[in-house]
Amino acid sequence: MAVNIQQLVQWKRQGRAIVALTAWDYAIAHLLDSAGVDIILVGDSLSVILGYETTLPLTLEEMLHHAKAVCRGVKQALVVVDLPFLTYQESPQQALRNAGRVLKETGAHAVKLEGGYPAMTATVAYLVQAGIPVMGHVGLTPQSIRQLGLRQQGKTPEAGERILQEAIALEQAGAFSIVLEHIPHDLAAQISQKLTIPTIGIGAGSKCDGQVLVTADVLGLSEKQPPFAKSYTNLSEAIVQAVQSFAAEVRNRKFPE
């Protein structure tokens, strides 16, 4: 049976950890889905795959294009799509229009928005009331890189309390899950215990209800990766070696035989 948002909440109650990874095309999405990943996120980390230095230049049209390909490769996992920078912050109406396009045009199941400040929680509530499932995201929010940089967030008591209250506000607004990115592990544990909806950690310790990583980091395809990521293989090296072997055989006229 395909994963749905009600299952995620049930899994939290059962203590069953949630597995999430990112995808950017049909092939990767199909492999992740076949491997049994619970959530596939078409994240704005797509920007790195497209050669951008930050998530800021990514457009809605680019996200729609890649999300369509991902959804064609998924049968079981819950597909969540990031709304890019400045496609939802202007007004709840802008967010509804663009989130609606994501669900209508791609077949995705939910959208993800960054931030838990009052205007954003109002936007989340607006989307949820219109029938659009929303995943929240607090802590390090990459679309705020010009303000926050890429530093760990919530390290002081005041900053930690603010993130906690943002997470609570997002749950009250109707978010079905919240990503906790690059915050102290004890703060993530406190938030996870406080909320009734699942928390998905990235650089937030083992006490979250699930974990997400950028698939390029997991597969060893990234030129650089954050300190909290882990590579489980080195496909970059394997790809280079395979291409070099192919090139050598072509140049030596050994392929085709």
Side-chain angles (χ1 to χ4, degrees):
M1 180 170 21
V3 177
N4 57 54
I5 60 176
Q6 291 78 21
Q7 273 183 306
L8 299 180
V9 175
Q10 184 179 4
W11 287 343
K12 176 185 175 76
R13 295 192 189 115
Q14 295 171 345
R16 191 271 209 193
I18 298 165
V19 180
L21 283 170
T22 64
W24 53 86
D25 63 10
Y26 171 89
I28 291 292
H30 178 67
L31 291 172
L32 298 184
D33 196 50
S34 299
V37 169
D38 302 315
I39 298 173
I40 293 179
L41 173 65
V42 187
D44 56 11
S45 55
L46 168 66
S47 59
V48 178
I49 302 299
L50 298 181
Y52 298 127
E53 291 186 1
T54 72
T55 63
L56 302 184
L58 202 62
T59 68
L60 180 62
E61 296 305 322
E62 287 170 327
M63 290 298 294
L64 290 170
H65 175 79
H66 286 268
K68 288 177 186 178
V70 167
C71 288
R72 288 194 288 267
V74 175
K75 302 298 183 187
Q76 299 298 323
L78 185 82
V79 179
V80 181
V81 178
D82 272 346
L83 289 185
F85 180 60
L86 288 187
T87 65
Y88 61 97
Q89 292 96 336
E90 183 179 323
S91 68
Q93 292 74 24
Q94 180 204 33
L96 179 62
R97 181 170 61 253
N98 291 328
R101 285 193 65 190
V102 168
L103 267 59
K104 284 172 66 69
E105 297 179 28
T106 72
H109 306 105
V111 296
K112 181 167 75 65
L113 281 60
E114 290 186 4
Y117 50 91
M120 189 53 59
T121 58
T123 294
V124 169
Y126 190 74
L127 295 186
V128 172
Q129 288 168 7
I132 297 177
V134 177
M135 176 180 281
H137 185 154
V138 297
L140 175 60
T141 46
Q143 291 180 15
S144 302
I145 187 173
R146 299 302 185 213
Q147 279 188 323
L148 304 178
L150 295 176
R151 300 183 302 273
Q152 186 183 58
Q153 302 297 304
K155 292 193 288 185
T156 67
E158 295 78 16
E161 179 63 23
R162 176 182 57 78
I163 293 172
L164 170 62
Q165 293 306 318
E166 287 181 346
I168 293 171
L170 284 168
E171 178 177 28
Q172 291 174 344
F176 70 88
S177 179
I178 298 178
V179 170
L180 305 179
E181 181 167 359
H182 206 16
I183 62 175
H185 297 186
D186 57 347
L187 174 60
Q190 181 185 8
I191 294 172
S192 300
Q193 186 174 22
K194 189 81 173 178
L195 300 185
T196 61
I197 59 174
T199 59
I200 309 297
I202 176 167
S206 62
K207 301 301 182 182
C208 298
D209 300 302
Q211 299 291 329
V212 62
L213 282 178
V214 173
T215 297
D217 293 341
V218 171
L219 299 181
L221 290 172
S222 302
E223 292 183 18
K224 56 183 179 179
Q225 61 184 41
F228 49 75
K230 179 179 178 179
S231 294
Y232 287 78
T233 189
N234 191 340
L235 289 191
S236 291
E237 185 177 297
I239 290 169
V240 169
Q241 289 177 350
V243 172
Q244 288 174 337
S245 296
F246 169 69
E249 288 193 6
V250 170
R251 289 169 183 147
N252 293 320
R253 300 194 179 278
K254 293 184 178 180
F255 178 87
E257 296 180 349

